[in-house]
Amino acid sequence: MARNIQSLERAAAMLRLLAGGERRLGLSDIASSLGLAKGTAHGILRTLQQEGFVEQDGASGRYQLGAELLRLGTTYLDVHELRARALVWTDDLARSSGESVYLGVLHQQGVLIVHHVFRPDDSRQVLEVGAMQPLHSTALGKVLSAYDPVAHSEALEAERKEFTARTISAPESFEGVLDLTRARGYAADVEETWTGVASVAAPVHNQRRMPVGAVGVAGAVERVCKDGELRPELIAAVRDCARAVSRDLGAGRF
């Protein structure tokens, strides 16, 4: 069995200690509470402080949780709330569209799938929660790139790989796609990422009207498209779902 790394265990214990009880603790309090030598405790605290996970009060010398740790926690809560708010609406979208539904957020120059509802039939499917999709070619990625300035920068800086002959990779052409996405309120991917697969997605906003994710459906081209174009009723259903999730997040009417 793999052995745990002692320094990481001690750092985790230190963060838990700072998260509970008093708001700020001194070096002696932390060391005695965890049964550590002061030198050992100080070394761990210094490393955590350098990473932004711990802050030291200049006047008292006491330690407290840092802004970086709080930021990471807020990000987790935001994604958790987004998924929780979207559960009912994405289930409804899967039933009404007959296709797989995906909820994605920006993560490390790509789209992280945080929720996936299976296509409501008896076909064999694989859960894709935790999978990454490209920003520049998928419908989810285009939506994020169009509405989120950070995602936009990430998409332009990253390598825009040509997955199929339909993939749009040139900067000027990609910017044109994003302009079109903002103008019509949704993005499309018709065989730009996977041959034979088409998708449509729309943005989800929070109470500050900031983009926090994208929701979309994906399926075989012959089902998602009609006469070479995305089915209008499917586009409407995806946009309605995105608006409903946004309203539940406090965004109001769009």
Side-chain angles (χ1 to χ4, degrees), residues 66-123:
E68 179 64 14
L69 187 65
L70 297 176
R71 185 190 69 81
L72 292 174
T74 300
T75 300
Y76 170 77
L77 291 175
D78 286 347
V79 171
H80 182 72
E81 182 181 8
L82 172 62
R83 182 180 179 277
R85 298 289 185 180
L87 288 176
V88 173
W89 301 110
T90 50
D91 281 350
D92 288 346
L93 179 58
R95 282 193 295 269
S96 65
S97 67
E99 300 295 343
S100 298
V101 178
Y102 298 90
L103 183 68
V105 299
L106 175 65
H107 181 68
Q108 296 180 348
Q109 294 189 324
V111 183
L112 173 67
I113 303 302
V114 297
H115 185 52
H116 173 201
V117 184
F118 283 166
R119 185 172 63 253
D121 58 23
D122 295 328
S123 63

Side-chain angles (χ1 to χ4, degrees), residues 24-94:
R24 295 190 178 111
L25 292 173
L27 174 60
S28 296
D29 298 325
I30 294 171
S32 61
S33 295
L34 300 178
L36 300 175
K38 281 188 179 181
T40 301
H42 185 255
I44 296 173
L45 283 167
R46 187 172 61 248
T47 301
L48 291 173
Q49 187 176 359
Q50 290 172 349
E51 296 298 326
F53 295 143
V54 164
E55 295 174 356
Q56 186 177 27
D57 180 66
S60 67
R62 290 174 172 265
Y63 295 89
Q64 65 182 26
L65 293 180
E68 179 64 14
L69 187 65
L70 297 176
R71 185 190 69 81
L72 292 174
T74 300
T75 300
Y76 170 77
L77 291 175
D78 286 347
V79 171
H80 182 72
E81 182 181 8
L82 172 62
R83 182 180 179 277
R85 298 289 185 180
L87 288 176
V88 173
W89 301 110
T90 50
D91 281 350
D92 288 346
L93 179 58

Side-chain angles (χ1 to χ4, degrees), residues 6-18:
Q6 188 179 56
S7 59
L8 292 180
E9 288 182 329
R10 289 172 171 175
M14 204 168 282
L15 293 174
R16 292 192 188 98
L17 179 65
L18 291 170

